[in-house]
Amino acid sequence: MKTTILTVCLLAISFTSCGQPSNYLPDAKACNLSSDKPSSTETYEFDKGFNEYFTQSTRWESHDADIQIVNGKGQLTANSDNVSNALEAWKLYKNQMPYNRSWEFSVVVNVPIYWNTNGGKEAQVGVGPFAGRPVEKGQSPKVYECNMAAINGEFRFVQAQLIKNRLGFDPDDVQFKKLPKSKEKATLTLQYCADHNSLGLFLDGVQVGKSKAINKEGADDWQLNADDKIDVGIMGFAENTVITSHSPTIEKVTVTVY
């Protein structure tokens, strides 16, 4: 598992933008689904067995962290003694999403201002949704990772990272927005637009940055065909710290296919 992803997040925080790569292409158009009638909607509020909806896959390995149901919420745990690396958890949703139809994967997250006193000013934790390109063997390298995070109670942000290879390279683009320190709860919606084959992140209904195409017109081509599927799930991370109290949680998941 690549451990520099979160370091890039810190760069984004310091400079507001990570800048665009040399092969940067224009952002995709926004996808307006407000007038479209959903073909299916499912909501999960963690009131049933967690493993019925989420699973661990060899495509998305966890590293010294996990997400499990605690008190009716999907709670992030990260209790490794190794705080020098990013502790990451990835859980796949029970269904994959279509490439040829638009959809939204929405989660309600809660990231406490303070989670413990372990770690210095660079310690940070966060949770959110992700979409990724499935592979037949090995770990999936291509991912669109979204989360709301806090840095040791002093700084809060929301971000979406389009990453060509999470196992060894930096993100191609980071969509980033600083948030009020007091904002602990939010709805993060990962939206896929079939018209432009693009992924975007919305915070409480307002888009963060611009949508990112995952076809040949985008910064990273996932090389998917009309009948291919996309992995979706929930993820969490802890960097330069372990979590001993007030864990970040995911409290509700809503999946809508149009």
Side-chain angles (χ1 to χ4, degrees):
M1 172 62 66
K2 176 177 176 294
T3 59
T4 58
I5 292 175
L6 299 175
T7 302
V8 174
C9 298
L10 291 175
L11 290 175
I13 292 166
S14 301
F15 300 102
T16 303
S17 172
C18 284
Q20 306 298 352
S22 59
N23 64 342
Y24 175 73
L25 295 171
D27 296 316
K29 295 180 180 179
C31 190
N32 184 4
L33 301 177
S34 60
S35 60
D36 294 346
K37 184 178 180 179
S39 63
S40 66
T41 299
E42 182 171 359
T43 298
Y44 173 54
E45 298 193 44
F46 296 94
D47 55 348
K48 298 180 180 179
F50 184 72
N51 292 334
E52 293 180 25
Y53 288 79
F54 297 95
T55 183
Q56 186 62 40
S57 167
T58 54
R59 297 198 302 266
W60 303 94
E61 293 287 358
S62 293
H63 286 255
D64 295 319
D66 197 9
I67 297 175
Q68 54 190 258
I69 189 167
V70 178
N71 297 325
K73 301 176 181 179
Q75 177 174 298
L76 172 68
T77 63
N79 54 13
S80 169
D81 292 332
N82 182 3
V83 299
S84 61
N85 294 325
L87 311 180
E88 299 181 353
W90 303 82
K91 292 287 188 180
L92 275 179
Y93 184 62
K94 64 177 184 177
N95 297 325
Q96 293 175 305
M97 295 293 106
Y99 184 69
N100 60 356
R101 297 172 67 179
S102 297
W103 48 263
E104 292 181 324
F105 188 85
S106 181
V107 301
V108 176
V109 303
N110 193 311
V111 181
I113 295 175
Y114 297 101
W115 60 93
N116 60 16
T117 57
N118 184 319
K121 63 181 181 179
E122 293 183 349
Q124 61 177 297
V125 298
V127 290
F130 76 88
R133 188 189 191 286
V135 293
E136 293 183 2
K137 296 181 180 180
Q139 288 185 261
S140 300
K142 297 182 181 296
V143 66
Y144 185 73
E145 173 195 327
C146 309
N147 50 68
M148 184 169 79
I151 300 182
N152 212 15
E154 296 299 327
F155 194 93
R156 182 174 295 273
F157 62 97
V158 63
Q159 67 176 356
Q161 302 184 102
L162 180 64
I163 307 172
K164 274 185 181 178
N165 186 355
R166 68 188 176 98
L167 308 176
F169 293 95
D170 293 339
D172 285 88
D173 184 81
V174 177
Q175 298 154 249
F176 169 84
K177 180 180 176 60
K178 184 176 180 180
L179 301 174
K181 178 180 175 180
S182 60
K183 185 174 180 61
E184 294 187 327
K185 193 170 186 176
T187 298
L188 303 182
T189 300
L190 194 166
Q191 182 192 85
Y192 172 72
C193 180
D195 290 344
H196 313 110
N197 302 130
S198 63
L199 294 165
L201 173 65
F202 290 75
L203 170 74
D204 295 333
V206 178
Q207 188 164 13
V208 179
K210 302 293 184 180
S211 299
K212 304 298 172 184
I214 54 172
N215 56 22
K216 62 182 180 180
E217 303 299 327
D220 186 23
D221 183 3
W222 286 16
Q223 297 181 329
L224 297 175
N225 299 313
D227 57 349
D228 284 332
K229 304 295 183 181
I230 297 175
D231 280 349
V232 294
I234 53 179
M235 67 84 60
F237 70 84
E239 184 180 16
N240 298 317
T241 186
V242 296
I243 298 174
T244 59
S245 66
H246 300 86
S247 295
T249 59
I250 297 174
E251 302 177 6
K252 182 178 180 180
V253 174
T254 301
V255 182
T256 304
V257 178
Y258 293 88

